[in-house]
Amino acid sequence: MECHHRHPLLTALESAHMSHEIAVIPGDGIGQEVTPAALEVLEALDLDFEFVTADAGDETAAETGEALPQETYALAASADATLFGAAGKTAADVILPLREAVDSFVNVRPARAYPGVDALRPETDLVFLRENTEGVYAGHEDRLSEDLSTLTRVVTDSASRQLGRFACEYVEDRGIESFTVAHKANVMRETDGRFRDAVVDVADGRGVETEEVLMDAFATHVCLDPTQFDVVVCPNLAGDVLSDLAAGLVGGLGLLPSANLGAERGLFEPVHGTAPDIAGEGVANPSAAILSGAMLLEFLGYDAEAESVQTATEAVLEAGPRTADLGGSATTDEVTAAIVDRL
Ligand code: NAI
Ligand code: MG
């Protein structure tokens, strides 16, 4: 099986399976249901992991006045990896600092259609490598007058090159010959021009081929024929929007995992939020959280275990039991138990 999310920077760790501390931050809503499910799967592997659970999110804010307590931030900043669920209204106050705590420069978002799941485009198999620190999400917004607000878009050569190096290692590691750079450098000539030039220059220097696509055209092409693309490198906002678009092609939010990677740490989380419409009912699809757990395993060098979790999850997606979002009537616990059984 091809795994689309191995962390190439950490190959050195692979032979050194030392003890790892894993921070577990379930957060709010279905985060409280799917994170324990992912934890159950990781625990079933019986690895030398020490799990430390910490609080964050709306409920924590209501109780303590802080959505992200200092202890939780410090835990994520020191743990080898963090498993995160979702936060509600306080999501931006929780997830943005947590990504910073793990020094994440790239958000890896695989969007893949699985056999047995009703998808708009069953042939979809994409991975977005999204710049994770700058662009229009750098936080420089101003109200200049009653009539005028502005946003400063930040693009650095260093962050763009770091993403470019990661993309090269990512494709080289998987035997893929090229990657796509999605941008809008025809309009944002300075910022996206810099982004594009830096990423392409890094790839040229390493002999990795790149194709460029304007991000608006990409949105159309990926809907019409997702097989044209494989690994797609994007600036921050484009990666956010285009990967959610791809989620729509593969059958929904209950399926999409993600990894926020830094050089030394990572934070792994489903792409979905707290799902207030179903929270507390025990019927959330745990697949996205469990597949995020598989990405965590791969990051720490447990490739065989990552593949087992991926394979077991895919087998249950195909054969059932399934949760309601996929047309079934199983509970989160039943799906989780079926995945653990197959491990
Ligand atoms: P959402 O992802 O929570 O839910 C969107 C729809 O997808 C809902 O109908 C929900 O039931 C369904 N859904 C999502 N995950 C599912 C799963 N695992 N199984 C079955 N169905 C699932 O997005 P929404 O409703 O826009 O946001 C709800 C809250 O989550 C908001 O407060 C938002 O701020 C927060 N949020 C947090 C994120 C994070 O912590 N990283 C990311 C996105 C939203
Ligand atoms: Mg998003």
Side-chain angles (χ1 to χ4, degrees), residues 109 130 137 240-241 243-244 271:
R109 291 186 159 197
R130 164 186 169 191
Y137 289 178
D240 193 5
V241 175
S243 61
D244 274 32
V271 169

Side-chain angles (χ1 to χ4, degrees), residues 4-332:
H4 259 312
H5 35 66
R6 186 152 160 268
H7 189 332
L9 296 179
L10 284 196
T11 38
L13 272 180
E14 278 175 24
S15 52
H17 285 171
M18 62 260 275
S19 174
H20 291 295
E21 185 182 54
I22 315 290
V24 180
I25 308 173
D28 301 310
I30 64 165
Q32 292 283 349
E33 302 166 39
V34 299
T35 315
L39 186 56
E40 196 179 320
V41 170
L42 293 179
E43 281 175 336
L45 297 168
D46 208 17
L47 299 168
D48 194 3
F49 285 171
E50 191 201 338
F51 297 101
V52 185
T53 301
D55 296 327
D58 297 358
E59 273 184 47
T60 308
E63 282 161 25
T64 70
E66 275 182 312
L68 184 64
Q70 180 54 35
E71 309 90 87
T72 305
Y73 181 94
L75 176 68
S78 67
D80 297 299
T82 297
L83 192 61
F84 177 68
K89 290 191 184 70
T90 57
D93 303 323
V94 174
I95 192 64
L96 296 180
L98 281 178
R99 285 177 182 156
E100 180 200 294
V102 304
D103 217 3
S104 166
F105 61 88
V106 58
N107 187 214
V108 182
R109 291 186 159 197
R112 194 159 158 202
Y114 296 103
V117 174
D118 190 20
L120 279 176
R121 285 284 178 209
E123 64 279 29
T124 308
D125 187 0
L126 295 166
V127 180
F128 291 88
L129 303 180
R130 164 186 169 191
E131 201 288 319
N132 216 13
T133 60
E134 47 188 39
V136 292
Y137 289 178
H140 300 291
E141 282 197 293
D142 294 291
R143 173 166 294 210
L144 297 184
S145 76
E146 273 310 299
D147 185 50
L148 175 66
S149 297
T150 59
L151 164 78
T152 302
R153 188 165 194 261
V154 177
V155 173
T156 64
D157 194 57
S158 50
S160 307
R161 285 182 180 275
Q162 189 174 28
L163 181 65
R165 283 194 298 276
F166 180 86
C168 289
E169 286 163 15
Y170 192 91
V171 298
E172 283 165 358
D173 211 43
R174 288 163 178 75
I176 302 169
E177 274 170 15
S178 66
F179 62 80
T180 302
V181 188
H183 61 75
K184 194 78 185 170
N186 58 334
V187 177
M188 295 180 280
R189 292 185 196 134
E190 180 55 40
T191 50
D192 261 14
R194 181 188 278 276
F195 176 83
R196 186 260 329 266
D197 290 350
V199 172
V200 169
D201 187 52
V202 169
D204 284 350
R206 292 177 67 126
V208 173
E209 282 171 40
T210 50
E211 289 119 37
E212 292 180 38
V213 62
L214 294 175
M215 60 174 80
D216 47 353
F218 174 87
T220 306
H221 293 315
V222 78
C223 292
L224 294 175
D225 179 13
T227 64
Q228 294 172 64
F229 304 106
D230 192 344
V231 175
V232 186
V233 175
C234 307
N236 204 340
L237 171 65
D240 193 5
V241 175
L242 296 173
S243 61
D244 274 32
L245 179 106
L249 301 178
V250 303
L253 280 166
L255 298 169
L256 287 201
S258 79
N260 300 280
L261 302 181
E264 288 170 23
R265 291 174 224 294
L267 181 142
F268 302 83
E269 51 164 342
V271 169
H272 65 71
T274 58
D277 49 338
I278 57 167
E281 293 172 22
V283 298
N285 185 347
S287 304
I290 291 170
L291 292 170
S292 301
M295 294 181 88
L296 179 152
L297 289 165
E298 202 170 5
F299 175 74
L300 294 175
Y302 292 91
D303 285 10
E305 290 82 356
E307 196 163 320
S308 305
V309 171
Q310 182 86 30
T311 307
T313 307
E314 284 179 32
V316 171
L317 286 171
E318 183 158 15
R322 296 197 187 97
T323 43
D325 57 315
L326 301 180
S329 58
T331 63
T332 308

